[in-house]
PDB file of all heavy atoms in Angstrom:
ATOM      1  N   HIS A   1       0.828  -1.201   0.000  1.00  0.00           N
ATOM      2  CA  HIS A   1       0.000   0.000   0.000  1.00  0.00           C
ATOM      3  C   HIS A   1       0.868   1.259   0.000  1.00  0.00           C
ATOM      4  O   HIS A   1       1.985   1.264   0.497  1.00  0.00           O
ATOM      5  CB  HIS A   1      -0.915   0.009   1.218  1.00  0.00           C
ATOM      6  CG  HIS A   1      -2.029  -0.977   1.126  1.00  0.00           C
ATOM      7  ND1 HIS A   1      -2.986  -1.141   2.118  1.00  0.00           N
ATOM      8  CD2 HIS A   1      -2.353  -1.866   0.149  1.00  0.00           C
ATOM      9  CE1 HIS A   1      -3.848  -2.078   1.748  1.00  0.00           C
ATOM     10  NE2 HIS A   1      -3.476  -2.535   0.566  1.00  0.00           N
ATOM     11  N   GLY A   2       0.309   2.315  -0.572  1.00  0.00           N
ATOM     12  CA  GLY A   2       0.961   3.604  -0.492  1.00  0.00           C
ATOM     13  C   GLY A   2       1.887   3.907  -1.648  1.00  0.00           C
ATOM     14  O   GLY A   2       1.856   3.261  -2.701  1.00  0.00           O
ATOM     15  N   THR A   3       2.729   4.914  -1.450  1.00  0.00           N
ATOM     16  CA  THR A   3       3.628   5.392  -2.499  1.00  0.00           C
ATOM     17  C   THR A   3       5.077   5.429  -2.047  1.00  0.00           C
ATOM     18  O   THR A   3       5.931   5.984  -2.741  1.00  0.00           O
ATOM     19  CB  THR A   3       3.219   6.811  -2.938  1.00  0.00           C
ATOM     20  OG1 THR A   3       3.340   7.706  -1.809  1.00  0.00           O
ATOM     21  CG2 THR A   3       1.795   6.852  -3.461  1.00  0.00           C
ATOM     22  N   GLY A   4       5.358   4.836  -0.895  1.00  0.00           N
ATOM     23  CA  GLY A   4       6.704   4.922  -0.331  1.00  0.00           C
ATOM     24  C   GLY A   4       7.703   3.967  -0.964  1.00  0.00           C
ATOM     25  O   GLY A   4       7.389   3.230  -1.907  1.00  0.00           O
ATOM     26  N   ASP A   5       8.899   3.951  -0.400  1.00  0.00           N
ATOM     27  CA  ASP A   5       9.980   3.110  -0.905  1.00  0.00           C
ATOM     28  C   ASP A   5      10.173   1.841  -0.079  1.00  0.00           C
ATOM     29  O   ASP A   5      11.168   1.124  -0.270  1.00  0.00           O
ATOM     30  CB  ASP A   5      11.293   3.898  -0.930  1.00  0.00           C
ATOM     31  CG  ASP A   5      11.279   4.991  -1.990  1.00  0.00           C
ATOM     32  OD1 ASP A   5      10.700   4.759  -3.068  1.00  0.00           O
ATOM     33  OD2 ASP A   5      11.847   6.076  -1.731  1.00  0.00           O
ATOM     34  N   GLU A   6       9.255   1.557   0.832  1.00  0.00           N
ATOM     35  CA  GLU A   6       9.379   0.333   1.618  1.00  0.00           C
ATOM     36  C   GLU A   6       9.233  -0.892   0.715  1.00  0.00           C
ATOM     37  O   GLU A   6       8.588  -0.840  -0.334  1.00  0.00           O
ATOM     38  CB  GLU A   6       8.318   0.291   2.724  1.00  0.00           C
ATOM     39  CG  GLU A   6       6.884   0.258   2.242  1.00  0.00           C
ATOM     40  CD  GLU A   6       6.291   1.625   1.995  1.00  0.00           C
ATOM     41  OE1 GLU A   6       7.058   2.601   1.913  1.00  0.00           O
ATOM     42  OE2 GLU A   6       5.059   1.716   1.856  1.00  0.00           O
ATOM     43  N   THR A   7       9.847  -1.988   1.099  1.00  0.00           N
ATOM     44  CA  THR A   7       9.795  -3.225   0.326  1.00  0.00           C
ATOM     45  C   THR A   7       9.524  -4.410   1.244  1.00  0.00           C
ATOM     46  O   THR A   7       9.645  -4.304   2.470  1.00  0.00           O
ATOM     47  CB  THR A   7      11.118  -3.476  -0.427  1.00  0.00           C
ATOM     48  OG1 THR A   7      12.179  -3.632   0.534  1.00  0.00           O
ATOM     49  CG2 THR A   7      11.441  -2.342  -1.376  1.00  0.00           C
ATOM     50  N   GLN A   8       9.140  -5.513   0.624  1.00  0.00           N
ATOM     51  CA  GLN A   8       8.975  -6.766   1.363  1.00  0.00           C
ATOM     52  C   GLN A   8       9.436  -7.919   0.478  1.00  0.00           C
ATOM     53  O   GLN A   8       8.993  -8.051  -0.665  1.00  0.00           O
ATOM     54  CB  GLN A   8       7.516  -6.980   1.780  1.00  0.00           C
ATOM     55  CG  GLN A   8       7.307  -8.234   2.626  1.00  0.00           C
ATOM     56  CD  GLN A   8       5.912  -8.327   3.208  1.00  0.00           C
ATOM     57  OE1 GLN A   8       5.253  -7.295   3.432  1.00  0.00           O
ATOM     58  NE2 GLN A   8       5.459  -9.535   3.476  1.00  0.00           N
ATOM     59  N   ASP A   9      10.344  -8.742   1.003  1.00  0.00           N
ATOM     60  CA  ASP A   9      10.839  -9.892   0.258  1.00  0.00           C
ATOM     61  C   ASP A   9       9.891 -11.070   0.449  1.00  0.00           C
ATOM     62  O   ASP A   9       9.515 -11.401   1.580  1.00  0.00           O
ATOM     63  CB  ASP A   9      12.241 -10.275   0.732  1.00  0.00           C
ATOM     64  CG  ASP A   9      13.282  -9.231   0.354  1.00  0.00           C
ATOM     65  OD1 ASP A   9      13.079  -8.551  -0.662  1.00  0.00           O
ATOM     66  OD2 ASP A   9      14.283  -9.095   1.089  1.00  0.00           O
ATOM     67  N   VAL A  10       9.497 -11.682  -0.668  1.00  0.00           N
ATOM     68  CA  VAL A  10       8.591 -12.832  -0.631  1.00  0.00           C
ATOM     69  C   VAL A  10       9.175 -13.944  -1.493  1.00  0.00           C
ATOM     70  O   VAL A  10      10.071 -13.716  -2.309  1.00  0.00           O
ATOM     71  CB  VAL A  10       7.178 -12.460  -1.141  1.00  0.00           C
ATOM     72  CG1 VAL A  10       6.557 -11.363  -0.289  1.00  0.00           C
ATOM     73  CG2 VAL A  10       7.239 -12.027  -2.603  1.00  0.00           C
ATOM     74  N   ALA A  11       8.644 -15.155  -1.311  1.00  0.00           N
ATOM     75  CA  ALA A  11       9.092 -16.300  -2.102  1.00  0.00           C
ATOM     76  C   ALA A  11       7.890 -17.001  -2.696  1.00  0.00           C
ATOM     77  O   ALA A  11       6.860 -17.171  -2.030  1.00  0.00           O
ATOM     78  CB  ALA A  11       9.895 -17.266  -1.229  1.00  0.00           C
ATOM     79  N   ASP A  12       7.993 -17.410  -3.949  1.00  0.00           N
ATOM     80  CA  ASP A  12       6.938 -18.176  -4.603  1.00  0.00           C
ATOM     81  C   ASP A  12       6.846 -19.545  -3.945  1.00  0.00           C
ATOM     82  O   ASP A  12       7.837 -20.271  -3.847  1.00  0.00           O
ATOM     83  CB  ASP A  12       7.246 -18.325  -6.092  1.00  0.00           C
ATOM     84  CG  ASP A  12       6.125 -18.999  -6.858  1.00  0.00           C
ATOM     85  OD1 ASP A  12       5.957 -20.223  -6.726  1.00  0.00           O
ATOM     86  OD2 ASP A  12       5.418 -18.293  -7.606  1.00  0.00           O
ATOM     87  N   GLN A  13       5.644 -19.888  -3.479  1.00  0.00           N
ATOM     88  CA  GLN A  13       5.475 -21.136  -2.744  1.00  0.00           C
ATOM     89  C   GLN A  13       5.727 -22.367  -3.598  1.00  0.00           C
ATOM     90  O   GLN A  13       6.100 -23.419  -3.087  1.00  0.00           O
ATOM     91  CB  GLN A  13       4.064 -21.192  -2.141  1.00  0.00           C
ATOM     92  CG  GLN A  13       3.806 -20.093  -1.116  1.00  0.00           C
ATOM     93  CD  GLN A  13       2.368 -20.083  -0.630  1.00  0.00           C
ATOM     94  OE1 GLN A  13       1.505 -20.735  -1.193  1.00  0.00           O
ATOM     95  NE2 GLN A  13       2.109 -19.332   0.441  1.00  0.00           N
ATOM     96  N   ALA A  14       5.519 -22.258  -4.889  1.00  0.00           N
ATOM     97  CA  ALA A  14       5.688 -23.412  -5.778  1.00  0.00           C
ATOM     98  C   ALA A  14       7.132 -23.579  -6.239  1.00  0.00           C
ATOM     99  O   ALA A  14       7.652 -24.697  -6.301  1.00  0.00           O
ATOM    100  CB  ALA A  14       4.766 -23.286  -6.984  1.00  0.00           C
ATOM    101  N   THR A  15       7.778 -22.467  -6.572  1.00  0.00           N
ATOM    102  CA  THR A  15       9.121 -22.540  -7.158  1.00  0.00           C
ATOM    103  C   THR A  15      10.224 -22.112  -6.202  1.00  0.00           C
ATOM    104  O   THR A  15      11.397 -22.420  -6.440  1.00  0.00           O
ATOM    105  CB  THR A  15       9.190 -21.650  -8.404  1.00  0.00           C
ATOM    106  OG1 THR A  15       9.031 -20.265  -8.012  1.00  0.00           O
ATOM    107  CG2 THR A  15       8.105 -22.021  -9.403  1.00  0.00           C
ATOM    108  N   GLY A  16       9.857 -21.399  -5.145  1.00  0.00           N
ATOM    109  CA  GLY A  16      10.863 -20.884  -4.228  1.00  0.00           C
ATOM    110  C   GLY A  16      11.553 -19.630  -4.707  1.00  0.00           C
ATOM    111  O   GLY A  16      12.424 -19.082  -4.026  1.00  0.00           O
ATOM    112  N   LYS A  17      11.180 -19.144  -5.906  1.00  0.00           N
ATOM    113  CA  LYS A  17      11.791 -17.942  -6.457  1.00  0.00           C
ATOM    114  C   LYS A  17      11.467 -16.737  -5.587  1.00  0.00           C
ATOM    115  O   LYS A  17      10.322 -16.527  -5.204  1.00  0.00           O
ATOM    116  CB  LYS A  17      11.292 -17.705  -7.879  1.00  0.00           C
ATOM    117  CG  LYS A  17      11.907 -16.486  -8.545  1.00  0.00           C
ATOM    118  CD  LYS A  17      11.377 -16.301  -9.959  1.00  0.00           C
ATOM    119  CE  LYS A  17      11.965 -15.078 -10.623  1.00  0.00           C
ATOM    120  NZ  LYS A  17      11.428 -14.888 -12.001  1.00  0.00           N
ATOM    121  N   ARG A  18      12.467 -15.955  -5.292  1.00  0.00           N
ATOM    122  CA  ARG A  18      12.289 -14.813  -4.405  1.00  0.00           C
ATOM    123  C   ARG A  18      12.044 -13.535  -5.208  1.00  0.00           C
ATOM    124  O   ARG A  18      12.509 -13.384  -6.338  1.00  0.00           O
ATOM    125  CB  ARG A  18      13.504 -14.642  -3.490  1.00  0.00           C
ATOM    126  CG  ARG A  18      13.786 -15.861  -2.609  1.00  0.00           C
ATOM    127  CD  ARG A  18      14.721 -15.520  -1.482  1.00  0.00           C
ATOM    128  NE  ARG A  18      14.148 -14.551  -0.566  1.00  0.00           N
ATOM    129  CZ  ARG A  18      13.292 -14.855   0.409  1.00  0.00           C
ATOM    130  NH1 ARG A  18      12.877 -16.108   0.582  1.00  0.00           N
ATOM    131  NH2 ARG A  18      12.828 -13.910   1.205  1.00  0.00           N
ATOM    132  N   GLU A  19      11.292 -12.636  -4.599  1.00  0.00           N
ATOM    133  CA  GLU A  19      10.953 -11.365  -5.243  1.00  0.00           C
ATOM    134  C   GLU A  19      10.878 -10.271  -4.198  1.00  0.00           C
ATOM    135  O   GLU A  19      10.383 -10.489  -3.086  1.00  0.00           O
ATOM    136  CB  GLU A  19       9.608 -11.479  -5.962  1.00  0.00           C
ATOM    137  CG  GLU A  19       9.136 -10.177  -6.608  1.00  0.00           C
ATOM    138  CD  GLU A  19       7.705 -10.252  -7.107  1.00  0.00           C
ATOM    139  OE1 GLU A  19       7.130 -11.361  -7.114  1.00  0.00           O
ATOM    140  OE2 GLU A  19       7.145  -9.202  -7.479  1.00  0.00           O
ATOM    141  N   THR A  20      11.353  -9.106  -4.553  1.00  0.00           N
ATOM    142  CA  THR A  20      11.213  -7.937  -3.693  1.00  0.00           C
ATOM    143  C   THR A  20      10.003  -7.146  -4.171  1.00  0.00           C
ATOM    144  O   THR A  20       9.996  -6.638  -5.294  1.00  0.00           O
ATOM    145  CB  THR A  20      12.472  -7.061  -3.738  1.00  0.00           C
ATOM    146  OG1 THR A  20      13.596  -7.813  -3.250  1.00  0.00           O
ATOM    147  CG2 THR A  20      12.291  -5.815  -2.874  1.00  0.00           C
ATOM    148  N   VAL A  21       8.986  -7.069  -3.322  1.00  0.00           N
ATOM    149  CA  VAL A  21       7.754  -6.382  -3.679  1.00  0.00           C
ATOM    150  C   VAL A  21       7.822  -4.930  -3.221  1.00  0.00           C
ATOM    151  O   VAL A  21       8.217  -4.649  -2.089  1.00  0.00           O
ATOM    152  CB  VAL A  21       6.526  -7.077  -3.050  1.00  0.00           C
ATOM    153  CG1 VAL A  21       5.238  -6.334  -3.419  1.00  0.00           C
ATOM    154  CG2 VAL A  21       6.455  -8.534  -3.488  1.00  0.00           C
ATOM    155  N   HIS A  22       7.418  -4.032  -4.102  1.00  0.00           N
ATOM    156  CA  HIS A  22       7.430  -2.600  -3.809  1.00  0.00           C
ATOM    157  C   HIS A  22       6.001  -2.094  -3.611  1.00  0.00           C
ATOM    158  O   HIS A  22       5.031  -2.832  -3.767  1.00  0.00           O
ATOM    159  CB  HIS A  22       8.097  -1.853  -4.963  1.00  0.00           C
ATOM    160  CG  HIS A  22       9.514  -2.252  -5.205  1.00  0.00           C
ATOM    161  ND1 HIS A  22      10.576  -1.622  -4.624  1.00  0.00           N
ATOM    162  CD2 HIS A  22      10.039  -3.241  -5.992  1.00  0.00           C
ATOM    163  CE1 HIS A  22      11.715  -2.178  -5.026  1.00  0.00           C
ATOM    164  NE2 HIS A  22      11.409  -3.162  -5.857  1.00  0.00           N
ATOM    165  N   SER A  23       5.894  -0.822  -3.345  1.00  0.00           N
ATOM    166  CA  SER A  23       4.574  -0.210  -3.176  1.00  0.00           C
ATOM    167  C   SER A  23       3.928   0.068  -4.524  1.00  0.00           C
ATOM    168  O   SER A  23       4.607   0.144  -5.558  1.00  0.00           O
ATOM    169  CB  SER A  23       4.678   1.100  -2.391  1.00  0.00           C
ATOM    170  OG  SER A  23       5.292   2.107  -3.183  1.00  0.00           O
ATOM    171  N   TYR A  24       2.605   0.218  -4.494  1.00  0.00           N
ATOM    172  CA  TYR A  24       1.860   0.610  -5.702  1.00  0.00           C
ATOM    173  C   TYR A  24       2.450   1.875  -6.303  1.00  0.00           C
ATOM    174  O   TYR A  24       2.688   1.954  -7.523  1.00  0.00           O
ATOM    175  CB  TYR A  24       0.392   0.833  -5.316  1.00  0.00           C
ATOM    176  CG  TYR A  24      -0.434   1.537  -6.355  1.00  0.00           C
ATOM    177  CD1 TYR A  24      -0.991   0.839  -7.419  1.00  0.00           C
ATOM    178  CD2 TYR A  24      -0.697   2.906  -6.260  1.00  0.00           C
ATOM    179  CE1 TYR A  24      -1.768   1.483  -8.377  1.00  0.00           C
ATOM    180  CE2 TYR A  24      -1.467   3.554  -7.208  1.00  0.00           C
ATOM    181  CZ  TYR A  24      -2.005   2.841  -8.258  1.00  0.00           C
ATOM    182  OH  TYR A  24      -2.774   3.489  -9.199  1.00  0.00           O
ATOM    183  N   GLY A  25       2.726   2.842  -5.473  1.00  0.00           N
ATOM    184  CA  GLY A  25       3.289   4.093  -5.964  1.00  0.00           C
ATOM    185  C   GLY A  25       4.663   3.919  -6.586  1.00  0.00           C
ATOM    186  O   GLY A  25       5.013   4.614  -7.543  1.00  0.00           O
ATOM    187  N   TRP A  26       5.445   2.976  -6.056  1.00  0.00           N
ATOM    188  CA  TRP A  26       6.787   2.734  -6.609  1.00  0.00           C
ATOM    189  C   TRP A  26       6.690   2.240  -8.044  1.00  0.00           C
ATOM    190  O   TRP A  26       7.422   2.707  -8.916  1.00  0.00           O
ATOM    191  CB  TRP A  26       7.518   1.706  -5.754  1.00  0.00           C
ATOM    192  CG  TRP A  26       8.946   1.477  -6.178  1.00  0.00           C
ATOM    193  CD1 TRP A  26      10.063   2.102  -5.689  1.00  0.00           C
ATOM    194  CD2 TRP A  26       9.412   0.556  -7.188  1.00  0.00           C
ATOM    195  NE1 TRP A  26      11.192   1.627  -6.334  1.00  0.00           N
ATOM    196  CE2 TRP A  26      10.833   0.679  -7.254  1.00  0.00           C
ATOM    197  CE3 TRP A  26       8.781  -0.345  -8.030  1.00  0.00           C
ATOM    198  CZ2 TRP A  26      11.607  -0.079  -8.128  1.00  0.00           C
ATOM    199  CZ3 TRP A  26       9.552  -1.098  -8.911  1.00  0.00           C
ATOM    200  CH2 TRP A  26      10.945  -0.964  -8.961  1.00  0.00           C
ATOM    201  N   TYR A  27       5.769   1.295  -8.289  1.00  0.00           N
ATOM    202  CA  TYR A  27       5.631   0.740  -9.637  1.00  0.00           C
ATOM    203  C   TYR A  27       5.123   1.808 -10.617  1.00  0.00           C
ATOM    204  O   TYR A  27       5.649   1.948 -11.726  1.00  0.00           O
ATOM    205  CB  TYR A  27       4.687  -0.459  -9.631  1.00  0.00           C
ATOM    206  CG  TYR A  27       5.245  -1.665  -8.912  1.00  0.00           C
ATOM    207  CD1 TYR A  27       4.740  -2.049  -7.675  1.00  0.00           C
ATOM    208  CD2 TYR A  27       6.289  -2.408  -9.458  1.00  0.00           C
ATOM    209  CE1 TYR A  27       5.251  -3.149  -7.004  1.00  0.00           C
ATOM    210  CE2 TYR A  27       6.808  -3.511  -8.796  1.00  0.00           C
ATOM    211  CZ  TYR A  27       6.288  -3.869  -7.565  1.00  0.00           C
ATOM    212  OH  TYR A  27       6.803  -4.961  -6.893  1.00  0.00           O
ATOM    213  N   VAL A  28       4.110   2.550 -10.212  1.00  0.00           N
ATOM    214  CA  VAL A  28       3.586   3.599 -11.090  1.00  0.00           C
ATOM    215  C   VAL A  28       4.653   4.652 -11.347  1.00  0.00           C
ATOM    216  O   VAL A  28       4.826   5.139 -12.473  1.00  0.00           O
ATOM    217  CB  VAL A  28       2.315   4.236 -10.489  1.00  0.00           C
ATOM    218  CG1 VAL A  28       1.832   5.393 -11.362  1.00  0.00           C
ATOM    219  CG2 VAL A  28       1.206   3.200 -10.341  1.00  0.00           C
ATOM    220  N   ARG A  29       5.404   4.971 -10.307  1.00  0.00           N
ATOM    221  CA  ARG A  29       6.499   5.946 -10.450  1.00  0.00           C
ATOM    222  C   ARG A  29       7.562   5.423 -11.421  1.00  0.00           C
ATOM    223  O   ARG A  29       8.112   6.192 -12.221  1.00  0.00           O
ATOM    224  CB  ARG A  29       7.105   6.232  -9.078  1.00  0.00           C
ATOM    225  CG  ARG A  29       8.112   7.361  -9.048  1.00  0.00           C
ATOM    226  CD  ARG A  29       8.307   7.879  -7.623  1.00  0.00           C
ATOM    227  NE  ARG A  29       8.718   6.849  -6.695  1.00  0.00           N
ATOM    228  CZ  ARG A  29       7.963   6.419  -5.678  1.00  0.00           C
ATOM    229  NH1 ARG A  29       6.738   6.915  -5.469  1.00  0.00           N
ATOM    230  NH2 ARG A  29       8.405   5.491  -4.851  1.00  0.00           N
ATOM    231  N   ARG A  30       7.821   4.123 -11.379  1.00  0.00           N
ATOM    232  CA  ARG A  30       8.793   3.526 -12.296  1.00  0.00           C
ATOM    233  C   ARG A  30       8.313   3.645 -13.742  1.00  0.00           C
ATOM    234  O   ARG A  30       9.089   3.985 -14.642  1.00  0.00           O
ATOM    235  CB  ARG A  30       8.998   2.054 -11.925  1.00  0.00           C
ATOM    236  CG  ARG A  30       9.911   1.272 -12.874  1.00  0.00           C
ATOM    237  CD  ARG A  30      11.343   1.811 -12.856  1.00  0.00           C
ATOM    238  NE  ARG A  30      12.180   1.090 -13.805  1.00  0.00           N
ATOM    239  CZ  ARG A  30      12.926   0.023 -13.482  1.00  0.00           C
ATOM    240  NH1 ARG A  30      12.925  -0.442 -12.232  1.00  0.00           N
ATOM    241  NH2 ARG A  30      13.666  -0.578 -14.396  1.00  0.00           N
ATOM    242  N   PHE A  31       7.016   3.390 -13.963  1.00  0.00           N
ATOM    243  CA  PHE A  31       6.462   3.535 -15.312  1.00  0.00           C
ATOM    244  C   PHE A  31       6.619   4.972 -15.800  1.00  0.00           C
ATOM    245  O   PHE A  31       6.988   5.220 -16.960  1.00  0.00           O
ATOM    246  CB  PHE A  31       4.985   3.147 -15.329  1.00  0.00           C
ATOM    247  CG  PHE A  31       4.695   1.738 -14.885  1.00  0.00           C
ATOM    248  CD1 PHE A  31       3.458   1.403 -14.347  1.00  0.00           C
ATOM    249  CD2 PHE A  31       5.652   0.734 -14.986  1.00  0.00           C
ATOM    250  CE1 PHE A  31       3.176   0.107 -13.945  1.00  0.00           C
ATOM    251  CE2 PHE A  31       5.388  -0.568 -14.578  1.00  0.00           C
ATOM    252  CZ  PHE A  31       4.139  -0.880 -14.048  1.00  0.00           C
ATOM    253  N   VAL A  32       6.358   5.896 -14.915  1.00  0.00           N
ATOM    254  CA  VAL A  32       6.440   7.320 -15.277  1.00  0.00           C
ATOM    255  C   VAL A  32       7.864   7.723 -15.621  1.00  0.00           C
ATOM    256  O   VAL A  32       8.120   8.353 -16.655  1.00  0.00           O
ATOM    257  CB  VAL A  32       5.886   8.189 -14.127  1.00  0.00           C
ATOM    258  CG1 VAL A  32       6.253   9.666 -14.337  1.00  0.00           C
ATOM    259  CG2 VAL A  32       4.375   8.034 -14.013  1.00  0.00           C
ATOM    260  N   THR A  33       8.802   7.374 -14.758  1.00  0.00           N
ATOM    261  CA  THR A  33      10.186   7.797 -14.978  1.00  0.00           C
ATOM    262  C   THR A  33      10.781   7.114 -16.212  1.00  0.00           C
ATOM    263  O   THR A  33      11.548   7.733 -16.959  1.00  0.00           O
ATOM    264  CB  THR A  33      11.051   7.499 -13.739  1.00  0.00           C
ATOM    265  OG1 THR A  33      10.957   6.106 -13.398  1.00  0.00           O
ATOM    266  CG2 THR A  33      10.597   8.336 -12.556  1.00  0.00           C
ATOM    267  N   ASP A  34      10.431   5.842 -16.425  1.00  0.00           N
ATOM    268  CA  ASP A  34      10.914   5.144 -17.620  1.00  0.00           C
ATOM    269  C   ASP A  34      10.390   5.813 -18.896  1.00  0.00           C
ATOM    270  O   ASP A  34      11.124   5.995 -19.870  1.00  0.00           O
ATOM    271  CB  ASP A  34      10.458   3.683 -17.603  1.00  0.00           C
ATOM    272  CG  ASP A  34      11.281   2.818 -16.659  1.00  0.00           C
ATOM    273  OD1 ASP A  34      12.292   3.307 -16.130  1.00  0.00           O
ATOM    274  OD2 ASP A  34      10.901   1.649 -16.464  1.00  0.00           O
ATOM    275  N   ALA A  35       9.097   6.150 -18.898  1.00  0.00           N
ATOM    276  CA  ALA A  35       8.493   6.770 -20.084  1.00  0.00           C
ATOM    277  C   ALA A  35       9.105   8.135 -20.351  1.00  0.00           C
ATOM    278  O   ALA A  35       9.415   8.482 -21.507  1.00  0.00           O
ATOM    279  CB  ALA A  35       6.981   6.894 -19.901  1.00  0.00           C
ATOM    280  N   LYS A  36       9.306   8.909 -19.313  1.00  0.00           N
ATOM    281  CA  LYS A  36       9.904  10.237 -19.481  1.00  0.00           C
ATOM    282  C   LYS A  36      11.326  10.125 -20.016  1.00  0.00           C
ATOM    283  O   LYS A  36      11.755  10.939 -20.842  1.00  0.00           O
ATOM    284  CB  LYS A  36       9.890  10.982 -18.141  1.00  0.00           C
ATOM    285  CG  LYS A  36       8.502  11.426 -17.710  1.00  0.00           C
ATOM    286  CD  LYS A  36       8.475  11.912 -16.274  1.00  0.00           C
ATOM    287  CE  LYS A  36       9.174  13.226 -16.097  1.00  0.00           C
ATOM    288  NZ  LYS A  36       9.024  13.738 -14.697  1.00  0.00           N
ATOM    289  N   ALA A  37      12.046   9.108 -19.585  1.00  0.00           N
ATOM    290  CA  ALA A  37      13.415   8.920 -20.046  1.00  0.00           C
ATOM    291  C   ALA A  37      13.473   8.604 -21.540  1.00  0.00           C
ATOM    292  O   ALA A  37      14.484   8.878 -22.195  1.00  0.00           O
ATOM    293  CB  ALA A  37      14.094   7.803 -19.253  1.00  0.00           C
ATOM    294  N   LYS A  38      12.395   8.046 -22.081  1.00  0.00           N
ATOM    295  CA  LYS A  38      12.339   7.733 -23.507  1.00  0.00           C
ATOM    296  C   LYS A  38      11.792   8.902 -24.335  1.00  0.00           C
ATOM    297  O   LYS A  38      11.607   8.775 -25.541  1.00  0.00           O
ATOM    298  CB  LYS A  38      11.468   6.491 -23.744  1.00  0.00           C
ATOM    299  CG  LYS A  38      12.044   5.193 -23.196  1.00  0.00           C
ATOM    300  CD  LYS A  38      13.324   4.779 -23.915  1.00  0.00           C
ATOM    301  CE  LYS A  38      13.091   4.293 -25.323  1.00  0.00           C
ATOM    302  NZ  LYS A  38      12.588   2.913 -25.428  1.00  0.00           N
TER     303      LYS A  38
END
């Protein structure tokens, strides 16, 4: 939740693959900054 830079590490229960999950705002912000850079 939110727009901050906090993260949470999770693991896929089936494969064990790990992922760092970001906030909703972080992902939207990433889309914005990537698009502006192009």
Side-chain angles (χ1 to χ4, degrees):
H1 287 180
T3 62
D5 291 323
E6 63 273 15
T7 63
Q8 183 171 333
D9 291 331
V10 300
D12 185 286
Q13 297 175 348
T15 66
K17 181 180 179 181
R18 301 196 64 81
E19 177 190 351
T20 298
V21 179
H22 299 268
S23 71
Y24 167 83
W26 185 93
Y27 291 108
V28 176
R29 188 161 57 246
R30 175 64 182 267
F31 301 154
V32 167
T33 55
D34 283 352
K36 289 169 71 175
K38 293 294 289 281

